[in-house]
PDB file of all heavy atoms in Angstrom:
ATOM      1  N   GLY A 784      25.562  18.795  19.413  1.00  0.00           N
ATOM      2  CA  GLY A 784      24.433  19.388  20.135  1.00  0.00           C
ATOM      3  C   GLY A 784      23.702  18.340  20.957  1.00  0.00           C
ATOM      4  O   GLY A 784      23.445  18.525  22.157  1.00  0.00           O
ATOM      5  N   MET A 785      23.375  17.210  20.333  1.00  0.00           N
ATOM      6  CA  MET A 785      22.677  16.133  21.037  1.00  0.00           C
ATOM      7  C   MET A 785      23.564  15.573  22.162  1.00  0.00           C
ATOM      8  O   MET A 785      23.099  15.382  23.284  1.00  0.00           O
ATOM      9  CB  MET A 785      22.296  14.997  20.069  1.00  0.00           C
ATOM     10  CG  MET A 785      21.275  15.362  19.010  1.00  0.00           C
ATOM     11  SD  MET A 785      19.634  15.799  19.655  1.00  0.00           S
ATOM     12  CE  MET A 785      18.937  14.199  20.086  1.00  0.00           C
ATOM     13  N   ASN A 786      24.839  15.307  21.852  1.00  0.00           N
ATOM     14  CA  ASN A 786      25.750  14.740  22.863  1.00  0.00           C
ATOM     15  C   ASN A 786      25.909  15.669  24.064  1.00  0.00           C
ATOM     16  O   ASN A 786      25.970  15.215  25.201  1.00  0.00           O
ATOM     17  CB  ASN A 786      27.133  14.479  22.254  1.00  0.00           C
ATOM     18  CG  ASN A 786      27.133  13.252  21.364  1.00  0.00           C
ATOM     19  OD1 ASN A 786      26.159  12.489  21.328  1.00  0.00           O
ATOM     20  ND2 ASN A 786      28.216  13.053  20.633  1.00  0.00           N
ATOM     21  N   HIS A 787      25.971  16.961  23.788  1.00  0.00           N
ATOM     22  CA  HIS A 787      26.153  17.922  24.879  1.00  0.00           C
ATOM     23  C   HIS A 787      25.019  17.806  25.909  1.00  0.00           C
ATOM     24  O   HIS A 787      25.257  17.736  27.116  1.00  0.00           O
ATOM     25  CB  HIS A 787      26.223  19.345  24.329  1.00  0.00           C
ATOM     26  CG  HIS A 787      26.247  20.383  25.409  1.00  0.00           C
ATOM     27  ND1 HIS A 787      27.425  20.785  26.015  1.00  0.00           N
ATOM     28  CD2 HIS A 787      25.234  21.056  26.029  1.00  0.00           C
ATOM     29  CE1 HIS A 787      27.120  21.659  26.956  1.00  0.00           C
ATOM     30  NE2 HIS A 787      25.806  21.857  26.986  1.00  0.00           N
ATOM     31  N   LEU A 788      23.768  17.764  25.403  1.00  0.00           N
ATOM     32  CA  LEU A 788      22.614  17.693  26.313  1.00  0.00           C
ATOM     33  C   LEU A 788      22.529  16.323  26.982  1.00  0.00           C
ATOM     34  O   LEU A 788      22.235  16.215  28.176  1.00  0.00           O
ATOM     35  CB  LEU A 788      21.327  18.015  25.555  1.00  0.00           C
ATOM     36  CG  LEU A 788      21.218  19.455  25.023  1.00  0.00           C
ATOM     37  CD1 LEU A 788      19.982  19.615  24.145  1.00  0.00           C
ATOM     38  CD2 LEU A 788      21.171  20.466  26.168  1.00  0.00           C
ATOM     39  N   LEU A 789      22.791  15.265  26.214  1.00  0.00           N
ATOM     40  CA  LEU A 789      22.791  13.912  26.771  1.00  0.00           C
ATOM     41  C   LEU A 789      23.824  13.799  27.897  1.00  0.00           C
ATOM     42  O   LEU A 789      23.527  13.320  28.997  1.00  0.00           O
ATOM     43  CB  LEU A 789      23.094  12.899  25.654  1.00  0.00           C
ATOM     44  CG  LEU A 789      23.596  11.505  26.031  1.00  0.00           C
ATOM     45  CD1 LEU A 789      22.547  10.706  26.788  1.00  0.00           C
ATOM     46  CD2 LEU A 789      24.020  10.726  24.787  1.00  0.00           C
ATOM     47  N   ASP A 790      25.036  14.261  27.660  1.00  0.00           N
ATOM     48  CA  ASP A 790      26.086  14.166  28.674  1.00  0.00           C
ATOM     49  C   ASP A 790      25.739  15.005  29.916  1.00  0.00           C
ATOM     50  O   ASP A 790      26.034  14.603  31.044  1.00  0.00           O
ATOM     51  CB  ASP A 790      27.442  14.590  28.085  1.00  0.00           C
ATOM     52  CG  ASP A 790      27.938  13.604  27.009  1.00  0.00           C
ATOM     53  OD1 ASP A 790      27.310  12.535  26.841  1.00  0.00           O
ATOM     54  OD2 ASP A 790      28.941  13.909  26.338  1.00  0.00           O
ATOM     55  N   ALA A 791      25.095  16.152  29.695  1.00  0.00           N
ATOM     56  CA  ALA A 791      24.689  16.995  30.831  1.00  0.00           C
ATOM     57  C   ALA A 791      23.631  16.279  31.675  1.00  0.00           C
ATOM     58  O   ALA A 791      23.650  16.358  32.907  1.00  0.00           O
ATOM     59  CB  ALA A 791      24.149  18.337  30.320  1.00  0.00           C
ATOM     60  N   PHE A 792      22.722  15.564  31.022  1.00  0.00           N
ATOM     61  CA  PHE A 792      21.705  14.791  31.759  1.00  0.00           C
ATOM     62  C   PHE A 792      22.380  13.678  32.581  1.00  0.00           C
ATOM     63  O   PHE A 792      22.052  13.470  33.755  1.00  0.00           O
ATOM     64  CB  PHE A 792      20.681  14.191  30.785  1.00  0.00           C
ATOM     65  CG  PHE A 792      19.649  13.320  31.440  1.00  0.00           C
ATOM     66  CD1 PHE A 792      18.468  13.870  31.952  1.00  0.00           C
ATOM     67  CD2 PHE A 792      19.841  11.947  31.557  1.00  0.00           C
ATOM     68  CE1 PHE A 792      17.510  13.057  32.565  1.00  0.00           C
ATOM     69  CE2 PHE A 792      18.893  11.138  32.170  1.00  0.00           C
ATOM     70  CZ  PHE A 792      17.733  11.693  32.673  1.00  0.00           C
ATOM     71  N   LEU A 793      23.331  12.972  31.972  1.00  0.00           N
ATOM     72  CA  LEU A 793      24.025  11.889  32.679  1.00  0.00           C
ATOM     73  C   LEU A 793      24.763  12.437  33.911  1.00  0.00           C
ATOM     74  O   LEU A 793      24.805  11.807  34.963  1.00  0.00           O
ATOM     75  CB  LEU A 793      25.001  11.175  31.733  1.00  0.00           C
ATOM     76  CG  LEU A 793      24.331  10.352  30.624  1.00  0.00           C
ATOM     77  CD1 LEU A 793      25.359   9.900  29.582  1.00  0.00           C
ATOM     78  CD2 LEU A 793      23.606   9.131  31.201  1.00  0.00           C
ATOM     79  N   LYS A 794      25.305  13.630  33.755  1.00  0.00           N
ATOM     80  CA  LYS A 794      26.024  14.259  34.860  1.00  0.00           C
ATOM     81  C   LYS A 794      25.065  14.627  35.998  1.00  0.00           C
ATOM     82  O   LYS A 794      25.325  14.339  37.163  1.00  0.00           O
ATOM     83  CB  LYS A 794      26.748  15.502  34.341  1.00  0.00           C
ATOM     84  CG  LYS A 794      27.824  15.986  35.256  1.00  0.00           C
ATOM     85  CD  LYS A 794      28.827  16.852  34.545  1.00  0.00           C
ATOM     86  CE  LYS A 794      29.993  17.124  35.484  1.00  0.00           C
ATOM     87  NZ  LYS A 794      30.858  18.178  34.962  1.00  0.00           N
ATOM     88  N   LYS A 795      23.937  15.242  35.631  1.00  0.00           N
ATOM     89  CA  LYS A 795      22.949  15.639  36.655  1.00  0.00           C
ATOM     90  C   LYS A 795      22.426  14.440  37.426  1.00  0.00           C
ATOM     91  O   LYS A 795      22.094  14.548  38.606  1.00  0.00           O
ATOM     92  CB  LYS A 795      21.745  16.338  35.994  1.00  0.00           C
ATOM     93  CG  LYS A 795      22.039  17.762  35.551  1.00  0.00           C
ATOM     94  CD  LYS A 795      21.907  18.733  36.717  1.00  0.00           C
ATOM     95  CE  LYS A 795      22.108  20.162  36.232  1.00  0.00           C
ATOM     96  NZ  LYS A 795      22.774  20.987  37.242  1.00  0.00           N
ATOM     97  N   THR A 796      22.276  13.300  36.749  1.00  0.00           N
ATOM     98  CA  THR A 796      21.707  12.124  37.398  1.00  0.00           C
ATOM     99  C   THR A 796      22.796  11.207  37.944  1.00  0.00           C
ATOM    100  O   THR A 796      22.476  10.168  38.526  1.00  0.00           O
ATOM    101  CB  THR A 796      20.850  11.316  36.399  1.00  0.00           C
ATOM    102  OG1 THR A 796      21.682  10.917  35.298  1.00  0.00           O
ATOM    103  CG2 THR A 796      19.681  12.123  35.866  1.00  0.00           C
ATOM    104  N   GLY A 797      24.053  11.531  37.743  1.00  0.00           N
ATOM    105  CA  GLY A 797      25.137  10.645  38.162  1.00  0.00           C
ATOM    106  C   GLY A 797      25.040   9.275  37.505  1.00  0.00           C
ATOM    107  O   GLY A 797      25.452   8.267  38.094  1.00  0.00           O
ATOM    108  N   CYS A 798      24.476   9.236  36.307  1.00  0.00           N
ATOM    109  CA  CYS A 798      24.280   7.985  35.542  1.00  0.00           C
ATOM    110  C   CYS A 798      23.276   7.032  36.200  1.00  0.00           C
ATOM    111  O   CYS A 798      23.107   5.899  35.733  1.00  0.00           O
ATOM    112  CB  CYS A 798      25.594   7.252  35.271  1.00  0.00           C
ATOM    113  SG  CYS A 798      26.634   8.125  34.086  1.00  0.00           S
ATOM    114  N   ASP A 799      22.630   7.472  37.274  1.00  0.00           N
ATOM    115  CA  ASP A 799      21.605   6.651  37.915  1.00  0.00           C
ATOM    116  C   ASP A 799      20.292   6.925  37.190  1.00  0.00           C
ATOM    117  O   ASP A 799      19.396   7.593  37.711  1.00  0.00           O
ATOM    118  CB  ASP A 799      21.511   7.028  39.393  1.00  0.00           C
ATOM    119  CG  ASP A 799      20.787   5.959  40.180  1.00  0.00           C
ATOM    120  OD1 ASP A 799      20.577   4.847  39.636  1.00  0.00           O
ATOM    121  OD2 ASP A 799      20.421   6.235  41.336  1.00  0.00           O
ATOM    122  N   CYS A 800      20.204   6.437  35.969  1.00  0.00           N
ATOM    123  CA  CYS A 800      19.123   6.835  35.072  1.00  0.00           C
ATOM    124  C   CYS A 800      19.011   5.843  33.918  1.00  0.00           C
ATOM    125  O   CYS A 800      19.794   4.904  33.826  1.00  0.00           O
ATOM    126  CB  CYS A 800      19.418   8.226  34.505  1.00  0.00           C
ATOM    127  SG  CYS A 800      20.891   8.269  33.452  1.00  0.00           S
ATOM    128  N   GLN A 801      18.025   6.073  33.057  1.00  0.00           N
ATOM    129  CA  GLN A 801      17.873   5.273  31.835  1.00  0.00           C
ATOM    130  C   GLN A 801      17.848   6.234  30.659  1.00  0.00           C
ATOM    131  O   GLN A 801      17.420   7.376  30.788  1.00  0.00           O
ATOM    132  CB  GLN A 801      16.541   4.521  31.820  1.00  0.00           C
ATOM    133  CG  GLN A 801      16.176   3.936  33.140  1.00  0.00           C
ATOM    134  CD  GLN A 801      14.721   3.511  33.241  1.00  0.00           C
ATOM    135  OE1 GLN A 801      14.483   2.337  33.263  1.00  0.00           O
ATOM    136  NE2 GLN A 801      13.784   4.431  33.310  1.00  0.00           N
ATOM    137  N   VAL A 802      18.271   5.726  29.503  1.00  0.00           N
ATOM    138  CA  VAL A 802      18.150   6.492  28.260  1.00  0.00           C
ATOM    139  C   VAL A 802      17.316   5.667  27.290  1.00  0.00           C
ATOM    140  O   VAL A 802      17.505   4.448  27.192  1.00  0.00           O
ATOM    141  CB  VAL A 802      19.550   6.796  27.661  1.00  0.00           C
ATOM    142  CG1 VAL A 802      19.408   7.491  26.305  1.00  0.00           C
ATOM    143  CG2 VAL A 802      20.386   7.645  28.613  1.00  0.00           C
ATOM    144  N   VAL A 803      16.379   6.314  26.617  1.00  0.00           N
ATOM    145  CA  VAL A 803      15.564   5.643  25.600  1.00  0.00           C
ATOM    146  C   VAL A 803      15.741   6.406  24.295  1.00  0.00           C
ATOM    147  O   VAL A 803      15.286   7.548  24.164  1.00  0.00           O
ATOM    148  CB  VAL A 803      14.065   5.635  25.986  1.00  0.00           C
ATOM    149  CG1 VAL A 803      13.267   4.845  24.941  1.00  0.00           C
ATOM    150  CG2 VAL A 803      13.847   5.058  27.377  1.00  0.00           C
ATOM    151  N   ASN A 804      16.430   5.798  23.343  1.00  0.00           N
ATOM    152  CA  ASN A 804      16.643   6.446  22.048  1.00  0.00           C
ATOM    153  C   ASN A 804      15.529   5.999  21.092  1.00  0.00           C
ATOM    154  O   ASN A 804      15.465   4.836  20.689  1.00  0.00           O
ATOM    155  CB  ASN A 804      18.039   6.080  21.512  1.00  0.00           C
ATOM    156  CG  ASN A 804      18.434   6.944  20.321  1.00  0.00           C
ATOM    157  OD1 ASN A 804      17.596   7.625  19.728  1.00  0.00           O
ATOM    158  ND2 ASN A 804      19.701   6.897  19.965  1.00  0.00           N
ATOM    159  N   LEU A 805      14.638   6.923  20.755  1.00  0.00           N
ATOM    160  CA  LEU A 805      13.467   6.628  19.921  1.00  0.00           C
ATOM    161  C   LEU A 805      13.832   6.797  18.446  1.00  0.00           C
ATOM    162  O   LEU A 805      14.344   7.844  18.057  1.00  0.00           O
ATOM    163  CB  LEU A 805      12.321   7.580  20.286  1.00  0.00           C
ATOM    164  CG  LEU A 805      11.884   7.573  21.753  1.00  0.00           C
ATOM    165  CD1 LEU A 805      10.996   8.786  22.057  1.00  0.00           C
ATOM    166  CD2 LEU A 805      11.160   6.274  22.096  1.00  0.00           C
ATOM    167  N   GLY A 806      13.579   5.790  17.622  1.00  0.00           N
ATOM    168  CA  GLY A 806      13.998   5.859  16.213  1.00  0.00           C
ATOM    169  C   GLY A 806      15.508   5.930  16.124  1.00  0.00           C
ATOM    170  O   GLY A 806      16.075   6.739  15.400  1.00  0.00           O
ATOM    171  N   ALA A 807      16.175   5.034  16.864  1.00  0.00           N
ATOM    172  CA  ALA A 807      17.635   5.109  17.034  1.00  0.00           C
ATOM    173  C   ALA A 807      18.397   4.802  15.750  1.00  0.00           C
ATOM    174  O   ALA A 807      19.549   5.229  15.601  1.00  0.00           O
ATOM    175  CB  ALA A 807      18.070   4.137  18.123  1.00  0.00           C
ATOM    176  N   GLY A 808      17.776   4.055  14.831  1.00  0.00           N
ATOM    177  CA  GLY A 808      18.498   3.673  13.618  1.00  0.00           C
ATOM    178  C   GLY A 808      19.780   2.929  13.985  1.00  0.00           C
ATOM    179  O   GLY A 808      19.777   2.062  14.855  1.00  0.00           O
ATOM    180  N   LEU A 809      20.885   3.299  13.350  1.00  0.00           N
ATOM    181  CA  LEU A 809      22.161   2.618  13.591  1.00  0.00           C
ATOM    182  C   LEU A 809      23.059   3.429  14.527  1.00  0.00           C
ATOM    183  O   LEU A 809      24.282   3.313  14.491  1.00  0.00           O
ATOM    184  CB  LEU A 809      22.850   2.352  12.243  1.00  0.00           C
ATOM    185  CG  LEU A 809      22.014   1.527  11.253  1.00  0.00           C
ATOM    186  CD1 LEU A 809      22.720   1.402   9.907  1.00  0.00           C
ATOM    187  CD2 LEU A 809      21.691   0.135  11.812  1.00  0.00           C
ATOM    188  N   ASP A 810      22.431   4.220  15.367  1.00  0.00           N
ATOM    189  CA  ASP A 810      23.162   5.076  16.310  1.00  0.00           C
ATOM    190  C   ASP A 810      24.180   4.295  17.150  1.00  0.00           C
ATOM    191  O   ASP A 810      23.926   3.156  17.539  1.00  0.00           O
ATOM    192  CB  ASP A 810      22.135   5.745  17.238  1.00  0.00           C
ATOM    193  CG  ASP A 810      22.769   6.785  18.133  1.00  0.00           C
ATOM    194  OD1 ASP A 810      22.902   7.930  17.690  1.00  0.00           O
ATOM    195  OD2 ASP A 810      23.140   6.451  19.284  1.00  0.00           O
ATOM    196  N   THR A 811      25.312   4.930  17.445  1.00  0.00           N
ATOM    197  CA  THR A 811      26.410   4.263  18.164  1.00  0.00           C
ATOM    198  C   THR A 811      26.654   4.826  19.575  1.00  0.00           C
ATOM    199  O   THR A 811      27.685   4.543  20.192  1.00  0.00           O
ATOM    200  CB  THR A 811      27.726   4.406  17.373  1.00  0.00           C
ATOM    201  OG1 THR A 811      27.974   5.811  17.173  1.00  0.00           O
ATOM    202  CG2 THR A 811      27.665   3.711  16.022  1.00  0.00           C
ATOM    203  N   THR A 812      25.710   5.617  20.077  1.00  0.00           N
ATOM    204  CA  THR A 812      25.931   6.292  21.365  1.00  0.00           C
ATOM    205  C   THR A 812      26.228   5.321  22.516  1.00  0.00           C
ATOM    206  O   THR A 812      27.055   5.617  23.376  1.00  0.00           O
ATOM    207  CB  THR A 812      24.708   7.167  21.716  1.00  0.00           C
ATOM    208  OG1 THR A 812      24.519   8.099  20.653  1.00  0.00           O
ATOM    209  CG2 THR A 812      24.907   7.915  23.013  1.00  0.00           C
ATOM    210  N   PHE A 813      25.543   4.171  22.530  1.00  0.00           N
ATOM    211  CA  PHE A 813      25.793   3.217  23.618  1.00  0.00           C
ATOM    212  C   PHE A 813      27.288   2.894  23.729  1.00  0.00           C
ATOM    213  O   PHE A 813      27.863   2.890  24.813  1.00  0.00           O
ATOM    214  CB  PHE A 813      24.996   1.919  23.420  1.00  0.00           C
ATOM    215  CG  PHE A 813      25.415   0.825  24.359  1.00  0.00           C
ATOM    216  CD1 PHE A 813      24.953   0.790  25.666  1.00  0.00           C
ATOM    217  CD2 PHE A 813      26.340  -0.144  23.955  1.00  0.00           C
ATOM    218  CE1 PHE A 813      25.383  -0.204  26.552  1.00  0.00           C
ATOM    219  CE2 PHE A 813      26.779  -1.134  24.836  1.00  0.00           C
ATOM    220  CZ  PHE A 813      26.286  -1.161  26.128  1.00  0.00           C
ATOM    221  N   TRP A 814      27.937   2.659  22.601  1.00  0.00           N
ATOM    222  CA  TRP A 814      29.347   2.252  22.599  1.00  0.00           C
ATOM    223  C   TRP A 814      30.253   3.404  23.022  1.00  0.00           C
ATOM    224  O   TRP A 814      31.253   3.198  23.690  1.00  0.00           O
ATOM    225  CB  TRP A 814      29.723   1.673  21.224  1.00  0.00           C
ATOM    226  CG  TRP A 814      29.061   0.346  20.994  1.00  0.00           C
ATOM    227  CD1 TRP A 814      29.563  -0.881  21.311  1.00  0.00           C
ATOM    228  CD2 TRP A 814      27.747   0.110  20.444  1.00  0.00           C
ATOM    229  NE1 TRP A 814      28.655  -1.870  20.986  1.00  0.00           N
ATOM    230  CE2 TRP A 814      27.534  -1.290  20.455  1.00  0.00           C
ATOM    231  CE3 TRP A 814      26.740   0.941  19.948  1.00  0.00           C
ATOM    232  CZ2 TRP A 814      26.354  -1.876  19.982  1.00  0.00           C
ATOM    233  CZ3 TRP A 814      25.570   0.358  19.475  1.00  0.00           C
ATOM    234  CH2 TRP A 814      25.379  -1.031  19.504  1.00  0.00           C
TER     235      TRP A 814
END
Side-chain angles (χ1 to χ4, degrees):
M785 294 296 284
N786 285 350
H787 173 86
L788 294 173
L789 160 66
D790 293 352
F792 177 88
L793 291 169
K794 197 159 189 192
K795 285 278 184 214
T796 59
C798 290
D799 197 12
C800 65
Q801 319 165 109
V802 175
V803 184
N804 192 346
L805 303 166
L809 303 176
D810 187 86
T811 57
T812 302
F813 169 81
W814 290 270

